[in-house]
């Protein structure tokens, strides 16, 4: 997290970084617009289901398994090694995120362990599943272009993140969600599946905060639409810890939410036409 953090509320100062208030306001207005769509009064569960599927597809794409949406709908072989397992992990953690919202505020580390267990899937006999990595354990997954922190730093920063979640913060939901996402992806606390876990945790914050209570604004879609190169560039800014880098990451995550809103607005329009 940024060196600008205030020990009393480490995230509060981030909300005032240049460009962040504007990003927060833009996201709020965008989310309000889609929630005001007439389809949301009658068919919100359908929009939520479609948003979850599209979000999971996009999360997998960010990890290199860029399948067409209809391919994700059709396939069932998500336990096979390679891209199918990547897509399956994203589908499972996205579904699980909606089931453990109530636990997050009391025990975020327990939620992260559960998400990692779910991402790994059934039949994975591995004592590294569901726990942070030990010293010397290799981190698998796509290269992010930033150093992998050692286990002592991981433990300290996970504890700090958990303290923010359980203690509460005055920072807007976008700021909190962006920091959770950025911290987890920077730390890569697990031996594998860190990407889907980080993005699912962001989803939990956006939904649990009340910004997106029906989970219809898939930020993962927006991240994928902006492209992996932009995603990694913004992440490097966050990992640098500079105010400018952290602000750009938050703004990038804000744009991702807005693009996710655009995706769900299109779903609403299709449902209204009877075409979805």
């Amino acid at each position: 997290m940024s060196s600008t953090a205030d020990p009393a509320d480490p995230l509060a100062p981030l909300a005032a970084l240049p460009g962040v208030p504007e990003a927060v306001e833009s996201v709020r207005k965008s989310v309000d617009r889609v929630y005001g769509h007439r389809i949301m009064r009658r068919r919100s569960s359908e929009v939520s289901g479609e948003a979850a599927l599209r979000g999971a597809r996009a999360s997998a794409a960010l990890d290199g398994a860029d399948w067409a949406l209809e391919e994700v709908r059709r396939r069932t072989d998500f336990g096979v090694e390679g891209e199918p397992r990547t897509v399956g992990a994203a589908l499972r953690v996205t579904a699980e995120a909606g089931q453990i919202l109530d636990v997050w505020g009391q025990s975020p580390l327990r939620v992260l362990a559960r998400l990692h267990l779910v991402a790994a899937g059934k039949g994975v006999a591995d004592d590294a599943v569901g726990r942070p990595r030990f010293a010397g354990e290799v981190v698998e997954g796509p290269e992010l272009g930033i150093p992998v922190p050692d286990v002592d730093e991981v433990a300290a920063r996970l504890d700090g993140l958990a303290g923010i979640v359980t203690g509460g913060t005055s920072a807007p939901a976008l700021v909190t969600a962006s920091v959770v996402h950025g911290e987890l992806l920077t730390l890569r606390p697990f031996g594998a599946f860190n990407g889907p876990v980080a993005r699912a945790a962001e989803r939990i914050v956006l939904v649990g905060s009340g910004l997106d209570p029906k989970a219809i604004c898939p930020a993962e879609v927006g991240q994928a639409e902006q492209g992996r190169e932009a995603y990694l560039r913004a992440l490097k800014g966050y990992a640098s810890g500079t105010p400018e880098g952290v602000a750009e990451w938050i703004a990038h995550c804000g744009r991702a939410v807005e693009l996710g809103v655009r995706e769900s607005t299109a779903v609403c329009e299709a449902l209204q036409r009877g075409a979805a």
Side-chain angles (χ1 to χ4, degrees):
M1 282 172 278
S2 169
S3 59
T4 62
D6 175 354
D9 186 352
L11 302 192
L14 305 186
L17 290 174
V20 172
E22 294 82 0
V24 168
E25 180 64 12
S26 182
V27 165
R28 185 190 63 79
K29 289 180 178 178
S30 181
V31 172
D32 285 349
R33 282 194 297 271
V34 72
Y35 270 85
H37 197 287
R38 61 186 299 179
I39 282 292
M40 289 299 296
R41 294 196 294 270
R42 299 178 288 110
R43 304 176 70 178
S44 65
S45 61
E46 294 174 68
V47 181
S48 296
E50 192 65 20
L53 181 67
R54 294 179 185 218
R57 189 217 71 81
S59 183
L62 288 166
D63 279 352
D66 192 2
W67 290 10
L69 187 62
E70 291 310 313
E71 183 79 355
V72 178
R73 294 189 202 277
R74 180 183 68 81
R75 296 278 286 268
T76 58
D77 58 335
F78 299 120
V80 177
E81 288 299 328
E83 289 191 3
R85 184 174 288 282
T86 298
V87 176
L91 288 167
R92 290 189 296 272
V93 296
T94 300
E96 186 69 14
Q99 307 300 314
I100 51 180
L101 287 168
D102 293 342
V103 183
W104 175 256
Q106 289 73 46
S107 186
L109 298 185
R110 177 181 161 198
V111 167
L112 294 176
R114 174 62 184 170
L115 289 174
H116 188 245
L117 181 66
V118 169
K122 295 180 179 179
V124 178
D126 189 344
D127 64 1
V129 172
R131 64 153 176 84
R133 55 188 167 84
F134 295 151
E137 290 184 332
V138 176
V139 176
E140 298 178 359
E143 175 58 47
L144 302 183
I146 55 177
V148 178
D150 64 37
V151 295
D152 291 336
E153 182 179 353
V154 169
R157 288 173 66 170
L158 279 179
D159 284 345
L161 190 63
I164 291 169
V165 172
T166 58
T169 176
S170 63
L174 173 64
V175 173
T176 306
S178 300
V179 168
V180 166
H181 183 171
E183 279 291 287
L184 292 174
L185 209 52
T186 299
L187 295 177
R188 282 152 289 174
F190 302 109
F193 302 110
N194 288 290
V197 169
R199 292 183 286 271
E202 179 188 40
R203 171 181 284 265
I204 287 171
V205 175
L206 292 172
V207 175
S209 68
L211 177 64
D212 179 22
K214 294 184 183 292
I216 62 167
C217 307
E220 306 95 328
V221 168
Q223 296 287 7
E225 188 168 333
Q226 291 179 89
R228 180 167 173 78
E229 184 177 337
Y231 184 56
L232 296 184
R233 185 169 57 247
L235 178 65
K236 286 179 184 178
Y238 177 85
S240 74
T242 65
E244 297 80 10
V246 173
E248 177 51 36
W249 170 251
I250 295 170
H252 180 85
C253 290
R255 289 192 293 273
V257 174
E258 292 187 71
L259 289 169
V261 167
R262 187 175 72 178
E263 184 86 356
S264 287
T265 300
V267 170
C268 288
E269 294 295 325
L271 288 171
Q272 187 166 284
R273 294 191 306 270

